[in-house]
Amino acid sequence: MPHPLFVLNGSNLNMLGRREPELYGRTSLAEIERNTTSLAGELGLACDFRQTNHEGVLVDWIQEACLADAAVVINPAGFSFGCVPVLDALKLLRGPLIEVHLTNIHRRPAPYTHSLTSQVASGVICGLGPTGYLLAVRAVADALAAQRAGS
């Protein structure tokens, strides 16, 4: 049975391809979803890909992932930089948690340089555009394989 993987996306990511393409590129979130879901399936993961502009909805989804014992790839977007409820929800997770940012947040101006959610992530991938999602899915698959081998 495939291991559950939630790929959760925060605010304004539904506008990828239109929103500041010089910064975020022209790839739409739907394209990222297709590629991510396809790779996840190849790696034996059941991918549930979601996006919301609402903090409380994101918290609910993280809690749902916790209850499903799912691995999580998250691009919290603007929720990264000051959203304690999202941070607190992420602390509930027991499986791999990979944070993804399309841009290199360390090269961005304030307030985009310090992600609160990175404090609890297993790993952080930033600055590699849509490829970051694929690398995150591979990292989750590797982490789950290592867990199985160790148990």
Side-chain angles (χ1 to χ4, degrees):
M1 182 154 166
H3 191 90
L5 169 66
F6 281 43
V7 179
L8 304 177
N9 294 278
S11 56
N12 294 306
L13 292 173
N14 58 309
M15 299 305 290
L16 285 177
R18 294 176 180 223
R19 176 180 173 229
E20 298 180 89
E22 68 284 354
L23 189 59
Y24 297 106
R26 299 210 179 275
T27 305
S28 71
L29 192 60
E31 291 173 85
I32 292 171
E33 179 178 6
R34 279 192 299 278
N35 294 334
T36 301
T37 301
S38 176
L39 178 61
E42 291 172 23
L43 297 175
L45 301 169
C47 186
D48 189 345
F49 195 102
R50 305 177 185 185
Q51 186 278 328
T52 184
N53 292 317
H54 304 280
E55 174 184 357
V57 171
L58 186 57
V59 168
D60 289 343
W61 290 346
I62 295 166
Q63 291 175 2
E64 184 182 340
C66 172
L67 295 174
D69 201 26
V72 173
V73 169
I74 188 167
N75 182 342
F79 298 132
S80 307
F81 307 107
C83 188
V84 172
V86 169
L87 172 64
D88 287 344
L90 290 170
K91 290 177 182 178
L92 295 167
L93 299 173
R94 296 177 301 280
L97 168 62
I98 307 296
E99 181 176 345
V100 173
H101 295 280
L102 295 168
T103 65
N104 181 349
I105 62 172
H106 305 290
R107 293 181 62 193
R108 304 273 314 269
Y112 304 105
T113 57
H114 182 72
S115 170
L116 289 178
T117 53
S118 294
Q119 296 175 42
V120 295
S122 307
V124 178
I125 298 169
C126 68
L128 300 178
T131 301
Y133 283 84
L134 302 178
L135 294 171
V137 170
R138 289 189 185 283
V140 164
D142 288 350
L144 291 171
Q147 283 178 359
R148 284 190 298 275
S151 50

Short mmCIF file of all heavy atoms in Angstrom, two decimals, residues 115-151:
data_model
loop_
_atom_site.label_atom_id
_atom_site.label_comp_id
_atom_site.label_asym_id
_atom_site.label_seq_id
_atom_site.Cartn_x
_atom_site.Cartn_y
_atom_site.Cartn_z
N SER A 115 12.31 31.86 7.60
CA SER A 115 11.13 31.02 7.69
C SER A 115 11.01 30.39 9.07
O SER A 115 11.89 29.63 9.49
CB SER A 115 11.20 29.91 6.63
OG SER A 115 10.19 28.97 6.85
N LEU A 116 9.93 30.69 9.76
CA LEU A 116 9.67 30.05 11.05
C LEU A 116 9.50 28.55 10.89
O LEU A 116 9.95 27.76 11.72
CB LEU A 116 8.38 30.62 11.68
CG LEU A 116 8.40 32.02 12.22
CD1 LEU A 116 7.02 32.41 12.74
CD2 LEU A 116 9.43 32.15 13.33
N THR A 117 8.82 28.14 9.82
CA THR A 117 8.49 26.73 9.64
C THR A 117 9.74 25.88 9.40
O THR A 117 9.72 24.68 9.66
CB THR A 117 7.47 26.56 8.50
OG1 THR A 117 7.95 27.21 7.33
CG2 THR A 117 6.13 27.15 8.88
N SER A 118 10.83 26.49 8.98
CA SER A 118 12.07 25.73 8.78
C SER A 118 12.59 25.12 10.08
O SER A 118 13.31 24.13 10.05
CB SER A 118 13.16 26.62 8.19
OG SER A 118 12.82 27.04 6.89
N GLN A 119 12.19 25.68 11.20
CA GLN A 119 12.65 25.20 12.50
C GLN A 119 12.27 23.74 12.74
O GLN A 119 12.97 23.04 13.48
CB GLN A 119 12.05 26.04 13.63
CG GLN A 119 12.47 27.47 13.64
CD GLN A 119 11.74 28.25 14.71
OE1 GLN A 119 11.56 27.77 15.83
NE2 GLN A 119 11.31 29.45 14.37
N VAL A 120 11.19 23.29 12.13
CA VAL A 120 10.71 21.93 12.40
C VAL A 120 10.81 21.01 11.19
O VAL A 120 10.47 19.84 11.26
CB VAL A 120 9.26 21.94 12.95
CG1 VAL A 120 9.21 22.62 14.31
CG2 VAL A 120 8.31 22.60 11.98
N ALA A 121 11.28 21.53 10.07
CA ALA A 121 11.38 20.73 8.85
C ALA A 121 12.56 19.76 8.94
O ALA A 121 13.60 20.08 9.52
CB ALA A 121 11.56 21.64 7.63
N SER A 122 12.38 18.59 8.34
CA SER A 122 13.49 17.63 8.22
C SER A 122 14.55 18.20 7.28
O SER A 122 15.74 17.96 7.46
CB SER A 122 12.99 16.31 7.63
OG SER A 122 11.90 15.79 8.34
N GLY A 123 14.09 18.93 6.26
CA GLY A 123 14.98 19.55 5.30
C GLY A 123 14.28 20.68 4.60
O GLY A 123 13.05 20.76 4.61
N VAL A 124 15.07 21.58 4.02
CA VAL A 124 14.53 22.74 3.32
C VAL A 124 15.20 22.82 1.95
O VAL A 124 16.42 22.72 1.84
CB VAL A 124 14.80 24.05 4.10
CG1 VAL A 124 14.27 25.26 3.34
CG2 VAL A 124 14.20 23.98 5.50
N ILE A 125 14.37 22.99 0.93
CA ILE A 125 14.87 23.16 -0.44
C ILE A 125 14.37 24.52 -0.92
O ILE A 125 13.17 24.77 -0.93
CB ILE A 125 14.34 22.04 -1.36
CG1 ILE A 125 14.83 20.68 -0.86
CG2 ILE A 125 14.75 22.30 -2.81
CD1 ILE A 125 14.16 19.50 -1.53
N CYS A 126 15.29 25.38 -1.31
CA CYS A 126 14.86 26.69 -1.79
C CYS A 126 15.73 27.13 -2.96
O CYS A 126 16.88 26.74 -3.08
CB CYS A 126 14.88 27.72 -0.66
SG CYS A 126 16.49 28.17 -0.02
N GLY A 127 15.11 27.92 -3.83
CA GLY A 127 15.84 28.53 -4.92
C GLY A 127 15.95 27.71 -6.18
O GLY A 127 16.59 28.14 -7.13
N LEU A 128 15.32 26.53 -6.22
CA LEU A 128 15.45 25.66 -7.39
C LEU A 128 14.18 25.62 -8.23
O LEU A 128 14.06 24.77 -9.11
CB LEU A 128 15.84 24.25 -6.94
CG LEU A 128 17.17 24.18 -6.18
CD1 LEU A 128 17.45 22.75 -5.75
CD2 LEU A 128 18.31 24.74 -7.01
N GLY A 129 13.26 26.54 -7.96
CA GLY A 129 12.03 26.60 -8.74
C GLY A 129 11.21 25.33 -8.57
O GLY A 129 11.30 24.65 -7.55
N PRO A 130 10.43 24.98 -9.58
CA PRO A 130 9.55 23.80 -9.50
C PRO A 130 10.31 22.49 -9.26
O PRO A 130 9.75 21.54 -8.70
CB PRO A 130 8.86 23.77 -10.86
CG PRO A 130 8.90 25.18 -11.33
CD PRO A 130 10.20 25.74 -10.82
N THR A 131 11.57 22.43 -9.65
CA THR A 131 12.37 21.22 -9.41
C THR A 131 12.47 20.90 -7.92
O THR A 131 12.60 19.74 -7.53
CB THR A 131 13.78 21.39 -10.02
OG1 THR A 131 13.64 21.64 -11.41
CG2 THR A 131 14.65 20.18 -9.79
N GLY A 132 12.35 21.92 -7.10
CA GLY A 132 12.41 21.71 -5.65
C GLY A 132 11.36 20.74 -5.15
O GLY A 132 11.61 19.95 -4.23
N TYR A 133 10.17 20.77 -5.76
CA TYR A 133 9.11 19.83 -5.36
C TYR A 133 9.53 18.40 -5.65
O TYR A 133 9.30 17.49 -4.84
CB TYR A 133 7.82 20.14 -6.10
CG TYR A 133 7.05 21.32 -5.58
CD1 TYR A 133 7.35 22.62 -5.99
CD2 TYR A 133 5.99 21.16 -4.70
CE1 TYR A 133 6.64 23.71 -5.54
CE2 TYR A 133 5.25 22.24 -4.23
CZ TYR A 133 5.59 23.52 -4.65
OH TYR A 133 4.87 24.60 -4.19
N LEU A 134 10.14 18.17 -6.81
CA LEU A 134 10.55 16.82 -7.19
C LEU A 134 11.66 16.32 -6.28
O LEU A 134 11.67 15.16 -5.86
CB LEU A 134 10.98 16.80 -8.66
CG LEU A 134 9.92 17.27 -9.65
CD1 LEU A 134 10.48 17.26 -11.07
CD2 LEU A 134 8.65 16.44 -9.55
N LEU A 135 12.59 17.20 -5.95
CA LEU A 135 13.66 16.82 -5.02
C LEU A 135 13.09 16.51 -3.64
O LEU A 135 13.55 15.58 -2.97
CB LEU A 135 14.69 17.94 -4.94
CG LEU A 135 15.47 18.20 -6.23
CD1 LEU A 135 16.31 19.47 -6.10
CD2 LEU A 135 16.34 17.01 -6.59
N ALA A 136 12.08 17.26 -3.24
CA ALA A 136 11.45 17.02 -1.94
C ALA A 136 10.75 15.66 -1.90
O ALA A 136 10.85 14.93 -0.91
CB ALA A 136 10.45 18.14 -1.63
N VAL A 137 10.07 15.30 -2.98
CA VAL A 137 9.41 14.00 -3.04
C VAL A 137 10.45 12.88 -2.97
O VAL A 137 10.26 11.88 -2.26
CB VAL A 137 8.53 13.88 -4.30
CG1 VAL A 137 8.03 12.46 -4.51
CG2 VAL A 137 7.36 14.85 -4.21
N ARG A 138 11.56 13.04 -3.67
CA ARG A 138 12.63 12.05 -3.61
C ARG A 138 13.21 11.96 -2.19
O ARG A 138 13.52 10.87 -1.70
CB ARG A 138 13.73 12.37 -4.61
CG ARG A 138 13.31 12.14 -6.04
CD ARG A 138 14.48 12.27 -7.01
NE ARG A 138 14.06 12.16 -8.37
CZ ARG A 138 13.75 11.03 -9.00
NH1 ARG A 138 13.82 9.90 -8.34
NH2 ARG A 138 13.36 11.03 -10.25
N ALA A 139 13.36 13.09 -1.53
CA ALA A 139 13.87 13.10 -0.16
C ALA A 139 12.92 12.38 0.78
O ALA A 139 13.35 11.63 1.67
CB ALA A 139 14.11 14.54 0.30
N VAL A 140 11.62 12.58 0.60
CA VAL A 140 10.63 11.88 1.42
C VAL A 140 10.73 10.37 1.19
O VAL A 140 10.76 9.58 2.14
CB VAL A 140 9.20 12.38 1.12
CG1 VAL A 140 8.14 11.42 1.65
CG2 VAL A 140 8.99 13.77 1.70
N ALA A 141 10.79 9.96 -0.07
CA ALA A 141 10.88 8.53 -0.38
C ALA A 141 12.14 7.93 0.24
O ALA A 141 12.09 6.82 0.81
CB ALA A 141 10.86 8.32 -1.89
N ASP A 142 13.26 8.63 0.16
CA ASP A 142 14.50 8.14 0.75
C ASP A 142 14.39 8.04 2.27
O ASP A 142 14.84 7.06 2.86
CB ASP A 142 15.67 9.06 0.38
CG ASP A 142 16.09 8.95 -1.08
OD1 ASP A 142 15.61 8.02 -1.79
OD2 ASP A 142 16.90 9.80 -1.52
N ALA A 143 13.79 9.04 2.90
CA ALA A 143 13.63 9.03 4.35
C ALA A 143 12.73 7.89 4.80
O ALA A 143 13.02 7.20 5.81
CB ALA A 143 13.08 10.37 4.84
N LEU A 144 11.66 7.65 4.07
CA LEU A 144 10.75 6.55 4.42
C LEU A 144 11.45 5.20 4.25
O LEU A 144 11.27 4.29 5.06
CB LEU A 144 9.48 6.62 3.59
CG LEU A 144 8.56 7.81 3.93
CD1 LEU A 144 7.44 7.92 2.90
CD2 LEU A 144 8.00 7.68 5.34
N ALA A 145 12.24 5.06 3.19
CA ALA A 145 12.99 3.82 2.97
C ALA A 145 13.99 3.59 4.10
O ALA A 145 14.15 2.46 4.59
CB ALA A 145 13.70 3.87 1.62
N ALA A 146 14.64 4.65 4.55
CA ALA A 146 15.60 4.54 5.64
C ALA A 146 14.88 4.16 6.95
O ALA A 146 15.40 3.35 7.72
CB ALA A 146 16.37 5.85 5.82
N GLN A 147 13.70 4.71 7.16
CA GLN A 147 12.92 4.35 8.34
C GLN A 147 12.55 2.87 8.32
O GLN A 147 12.66 2.17 9.33
CB GLN A 147 11.63 5.18 8.43
CG GLN A 147 11.83 6.58 8.92
CD GLN A 147 10.52 7.38 8.93
OE1 GLN A 147 9.47 6.90 8.55
NE2 GLN A 147 10.61 8.62 9.37
N ARG A 148 12.11 2.38 7.15
CA ARG A 148 11.73 0.96 7.05
C ARG A 148 12.93 0.06 7.27
O ARG A 148 12.84 -0.97 7.91
CB ARG A 148 11.11 0.69 5.68
CG ARG A 148 9.68 1.19 5.55
CD ARG A 148 9.00 0.69 4.28
NE ARG A 148 9.67 1.13 3.06
CZ ARG A 148 9.44 2.29 2.45
NH1 ARG A 148 8.56 3.14 2.94
NH2 ARG A 148 10.09 2.61 1.33
N ALA A 149 14.08 0.47 6.74
CA ALA A 149 15.29 -0.34 6.89
C ALA A 149 15.77 -0.37 8.34
O ALA A 149 16.32 -1.38 8.79
CB ALA A 149 16.41 0.20 5.99
N GLY A 150 15.51 0.71 9.06
CA GLY A 150 15.94 0.80 10.45
C GLY A 150 14.99 0.17 11.44
O GLY A 150 15.33 -0.03 12.61
N SER A 151 13.79 -0.18 10.98
CA SER A 151 12.83 -0.72 11.96
C SER A 151 12.73 -2.22 11.91
O SER A 151 13.34 -2.95 11.25
CB SER A 151 11.44 -0.15 11.74
OG SER A 151 11.03 -0.23 10.40
#
